[in-house]
Amino acid sequence: MIDDALAALTGSAAALPVLFALVLGDAFLVVIPGETAVTAYAALAVVHGEPPLVAVIAVAAAAALCGDLACYLIGRRTGLERWGWMRRPGVVAAFGWADRRLQHSTATVLFSARFIPFGRLAVNLSAGAARLPLRRYLPFAGAAALVWAVYQSFIGAAIARLLPDAPALAVIVSILVALTMGVGLDVVLARRWRRARPWRGVARRWQGGAMASPTDGPLGYDPGFLGPDVPLPVALGGRPQRTLDYLHFSVVLDVRRRLACVTGVNIDGEVLRDPARTGEWHFDPRVPEEDQAGPAIYAANDLDRGHLVRRRDPGWGTDAVAVAATEQTFAYPNAAPQASDFNQSTELWLGLEDHVLHYADAQRLRLAVFTAPVLAADDPPYRGIQVPRRFWKVAAWNADGVLAAAGFVLDQSELIDVTVDQAVAVPPLGGFRTFQVPLVEIETLAAVDLGPLVAADVTAAHAVQPGSGWIRLRRASEIRLTR
């Protein structure tokens, strides 16, 4: 009876359309049994002669290519942050890896991903979002779909040859063999991907609200890192906060403002490295997404996702720790909206950070750097947050057994215009200002307690501009890091 039912199924006009639908759906939803359907159809094709085996292969390959191409077009149109599931850490990690590898190993990645259910979804969406040219994508995707269809069909056909008189058993055995080989193939390919570091960085294991890293690097800012105890600055005013520890740095999130009110990072100049940029922006899963200033803030405007703890700063230690630490700086709690010229200028914001980092590297010093936006009550509202107009930064180090520190304020007030909700207009560079500022004044401006850093301020040994005490900086070389 089962054999008769199978014969009727394969002989019906709907047989191949059903196969096409299953394989097409499998490109989007991994729970749809596309692989097993191809294997079963191939076994029945050998036993009953219909549908023809060549037709099974052709339909399966065409459906696989259509599904993969649809994912490519979706990624090209919507990007990789349109829906909530795309912003989960593991998914973001997969997208980031796929994007990097596609640029250098297009054929290898597309062929490998076709055999891993979620892998092919991530790779095809990433290929579209990265604007991989269709003329480059299509030949490889088509070849991968054909090889996949032949492989799945071969399993079913081979089992059917061994069990020609038991079509039902042939189908069952071929499905079991296909599943077993599929699991084995998944394991082999997944190991290969892990050796290429596909899931590192944002795809961390999160246990009980804390991050469990596969590396041996210390989590969180270390107050004893410089020798003298330098605690993480404390944000005043009773604002609701959440402290998040990452490799070599910590972020204190102001939950109400959805931005950091304090960050602190340890930098070891003696073992400082400069790993290639491999991170992708992602929500921190320890905090509700609605409490983080996520991708919607930065869409269709001139605002940059400005790193607070700079990507390179925690990148020291072993190669593995340095890479992991730099990737973790791409969590949204470590970002703040910055005008593009403000964030990218080599003589201003970026120049200041480079100068401090080069100083640590050249002197083989250990540094602690604290950065955050000034969260003023009158900051302009925009898309559910208030865009900060100023940022503060304090660098501290141990100078021959004596604690030293320098403070800075960076002002983007005249670079931002949020009078319309749809866009942020950024006038020409010129309104940006950088100051070296006494730490006691940073405490007042930012409403933070800097603890022992105030007494270690190097500007105390210099005459400062009368009145405000703020020293205007026009280039990074004017920064004072010695008493």
Side-chain angles (χ1 to χ4, degrees):
M1 182 178 297
I2 296 178
D3 290 345
D4 293 340
L6 291 174
L9 171 65
T10 57
S12 71
L16 291 176
V18 169
L19 176 63
F20 186 93
L22 289 172
V23 175
L24 180 67
D26 186 34
F28 302 92
L29 299 173
V30 297
V31 296
I32 296 178
E35 282 93 349
T36 55
V38 176
T39 302
Y41 267 72
L44 292 172
V46 169
V47 173
H48 294 292
E50 53 182 349
L53 182 59
V54 66
V56 171
I57 295 173
V59 169
L65 178 58
C66 288
D68 292 347
L69 181 59
C71 291
Y72 168 89
L73 294 174
I74 291 172
R76 192 179 183 96
R77 182 172 181 81
T78 67
L80 301 178
E81 295 182 338
R82 179 69 174 272
W83 295 287
W85 65 270
M86 290 180 163
R87 298 188 291 269
R88 294 173 183 171
V91 177
V92 173
F95 286 154
W97 176 85
D99 178 64
R100 296 189 298 273
R101 299 288 292 176
L102 277 166
Q103 303 303 320
H104 306 288
S105 308
T106 305
T108 301
V109 173
L110 288 174
F111 270 86
S112 300
R114 176 94 279 279
F115 291 84
I116 301 178
F118 180 74
R120 59 176 170 256
L121 175 63
V123 165
N124 288 302
L125 286 170
S126 297
R131 301 278 174 173
L132 186 71
L134 188 60
R135 65 180 180 277
R136 185 181 178 194
Y137 167 83
L138 204 53
F140 292 130
L146 179 59
V147 170
W148 173 84
V150 170
Y151 166 76
Q152 298 295 340
S153 299
F154 172 78
I155 297 173
I159 298 299
R161 294 289 185 189
L162 296 175
L163 300 170
D165 299 324
L169 182 60
V171 169
I172 294 172
V173 172
S174 64
I175 290 174
L176 292 176
V177 171
L179 289 174
T180 301
M181 294 182 67
V183 170
L185 187 61
D186 285 356
V187 171
V188 171
L189 291 176
R191 285 178 178 173
R192 179 181 177 184
W193 286 19
R194 281 196 297 270
R195 284 197 297 269
R197 272 196 203 103
W199 311 109
R200 298 191 59 181
V202 296
R204 302 295 177 197
R205 296 186 298 273
W206 302 88
Q207 301 170 347
M211 181 170 60
S213 171
T215 69
D216 295 324
L219 287 177
Y221 169 79
D222 178 6
F225 183 74
L226 299 181
D229 191 59
V230 181
L232 194 68
V234 177
L236 306 175
R239 44 182 103 165
Q241 302 169 17
R242 178 74 185 271
T243 300
L244 303 168
D245 290 333
Y246 304 89
L247 282 168
H248 300 156
F249 70 99
S250 295
V251 174
V252 182
L253 182 67
D254 185 318
V255 177
R256 185 177 298 126
R257 288 290 299 264
R258 299 166 60 194
L259 297 169
C261 53
V262 171
T263 69
V265 58
N266 303 122
I267 306 173
D268 192 333
E270 192 164 359
V271 287
L272 191 64
R273 302 180 186 274
D274 188 16
R277 182 185 178 107
T278 55
E280 298 290 335
W281 285 106
H282 61 282
F283 285 104
D284 188 319
R286 295 171 294 180
V287 182
E289 291 184 5
E290 58 269 21
D291 291 341
Q292 305 176 57
I297 305 300
Y298 305 94
N301 57 39
D302 289 324
L303 291 177
D304 280 355
R305 297 169 175 86
H307 277 81
L308 297 174
V309 172
R310 191 181 180 219
R311 180 187 67 86
R312 290 183 58 203
D313 286 359
W316 53 269
T318 66
D319 288 339
V321 171
V323 171
T326 59
E327 289 178 346
Q328 289 175 17
T329 64
F330 286 88
Y332 274 116
N334 188 45
Q338 294 174 354
S340 57
D341 284 333
F342 173 99
N343 185 42
Q344 297 169 19
S345 170
T346 57
E347 274 298 315
L348 299 173
W349 174 253
L350 190 59
L352 169 61
E353 299 210 355
D354 277 338
H355 188 83
V356 173
L357 202 58
H358 290 164
Y359 183 76
D361 193 14
Q363 301 296 323
R364 293 294 188 265
L365 291 176
R366 286 188 164 195
L367 267 72
V369 177
F370 311 98
T371 309
V374 175
L375 301 179
D378 59 349
D379 285 335
Y382 181 71
R383 295 184 180 177
I385 69 164
Q386 291 174 268
V387 178
R389 295 168 299 155
R390 290 175 171 176
F391 292 78
W392 60 271
K393 183 183 296 290
V394 174
W397 60 97
N398 187 337
D400 297 325
V402 179
L403 183 65
F408 310 90
V409 170
L410 306 103
D411 192 335
Q412 66 172 0
S413 299
E414 297 180 25
L415 291 178
I416 57 175
D417 181 1
V418 294
T419 55
V420 292
D421 184 62
Q422 288 76 17
V424 173
V426 181
L429 186 63
F432 180 94
R433 296 173 298 169
T434 308
F435 301 88
Q436 186 157 0
V437 179
L439 299 192
V440 67
E441 296 196 34
I442 291 180
E443 282 192 316
T444 301
L445 176 70
V448 294
D449 182 355
L450 296 176
L453 295 172
V454 174
D457 190 354
V458 296
T459 61
H462 295 277
V464 297
Q465 182 176 345
S468 70
W470 291 31
I471 303 171
R472 178 73 181 271
L473 301 176
R474 291 173 176 81
R475 57 188 61 87
S477 60
E478 297 176 354
I479 297 171
R480 293 172 176 167
L481 295 177
T482 57
R483 292 183 182 273

